[in-house]
Amino acid sequence: MIKQYSVDAFAEKVFHGNPAAVCILDAWLPDSVMRCIAAENNLSETAFAVGANGQYHLRWFTPCEEIDLCGHATLAAAFVLMNIYERSAQSVSFDTLSGLLTVRRDGELFAMDFPAFTLEKVLVTDAMEEAIGIRPTEAWLGRDLVCVLPTEFDVRTSVPDAEKTKFLPGLIFHTTACSDDTDYVLRSFAPKIGIAENPVCGSGNCHTAPLWADKLKKCILTAEQASARGGILHCTVDGERVELAGKAVLYAASELYIDERA
């Protein structure tokens, strides 16, 4: 029997932010079982953690595959561990495919230390315009493709063609623009890994926070993920690292009646 928690990350109340499932394990399950659990949950990510005493190994699975970095599921895992398993802990560390990630309490926020993605400016193409329905003013490529749109309104109202975005470079596809109410807005689309639109994408902000920090000449930024559920991220860019901070709320706790033979 496995304990699983459902957490809305980068949210102040349930039904907002980005939902993630978190499974706290005594030992690793076979990869095939973890993939099946993630597919059954059908959330953008399910996080699996093994460890104790503030030191954990953490892995993330979409409904289709394992990925190398996920911000909101890391926040969800830290929230569960520091509110249920280790209530006196002020920080937890995760050994991951993206290296060592540390999450600390910062008042009501949970602040995560993540690697910043290196971006290379690439040519804006007709394929990008056809996929978005609006021609970007700039395009940048790291692990993901980031397209800067002319206005915040364009980011909020555009309806990218999921099939056409599959043929663009990068793992995940982000649209972004400068914002009147926050420093920038962002939307994230990941049809290549089975996610039409990611409600809040932490790893996406590891692309866009450094980009906007350079453009706006400031290292502390506030970002709004302009999805239907929405979410606010507090970002601090420090060289090759990005600290992402946000709130989270527990939606549900459940028990999974499966074993490694599933």
Side-chain angles (χ1 to χ4, degrees), residues 26-41:
D26 294 324
W28 291 118
L29 297 167
D31 286 8
S32 60
V33 175
M34 291 190 285
R35 288 192 182 95
C36 286
I37 292 171
E40 186 82 3
N41 287 332

Side-chain angles (χ1 to χ4, degrees), residues 47-130:
F48 298 88
V50 174
N53 301 319
Q55 303 287 331
Y56 294 85
H57 292 269
L58 183 66
R59 297 172 70 182
W60 310 278
F61 287 80
T62 77
C64 297
E65 61 185 66
E66 184 174 10
I67 60 171
D68 63 347
L69 184 64
C70 177
H72 83 279
T74 302
L75 175 57
F79 174 87
V80 167
L81 291 169
M82 286 194 273
N83 281 283
I84 298 173
Y85 287 80
E86 300 187 35
R87 294 183 179 180
S88 63
Q90 293 302 304
S91 67
V92 292
S93 295
F94 296 113
D95 186 9
T96 77
L97 289 176
S98 289
L100 184 66
L101 307 178
T102 301
V103 185
R104 62 178 179 85
R105 293 185 193 269
D106 182 11
E108 294 182 346
L109 301 174
F110 292 85
M112 304 178 290
D113 176 39
F114 275 13
F117 284 93
T118 300
L119 295 176
E120 177 184 356
K121 195 170 187 178
V122 296
L123 290 175
V124 172
T125 65
D126 292 342
M128 295 175 191
E129 181 177 3
E130 291 172 6

Side-chain angles (χ1 to χ4, degrees), residues 11 13 23 33-35 40-41 45 54 58 66 74 80 85 147 149 154 156 185 189-190 211 214 232 238 260:
K13 56 184 179 180
C23 294
V33 175
M34 291 190 285
R35 288 192 182 95
E40 186 82 3
N41 287 332
E45 270 83 24
L58 183 66
E66 184 174 10
T74 302
V80 167
Y85 287 80
C147 286
L149 300 190
D154 294 330
R156 293 184 183 277
V185 292
F189 306 91
L211 177 64
D214 182 64
I232 298 295
D238 183 10
E260 65 179 40

Side-chain angles (χ1 to χ4, degrees), residues 192-208:
K192 291 179 182 178
I193 53 175
I195 303 164
E197 181 172 1
N198 198 343
V200 184
C201 186
S203 63
N205 283 273
C206 291
H207 291 71
T208 51

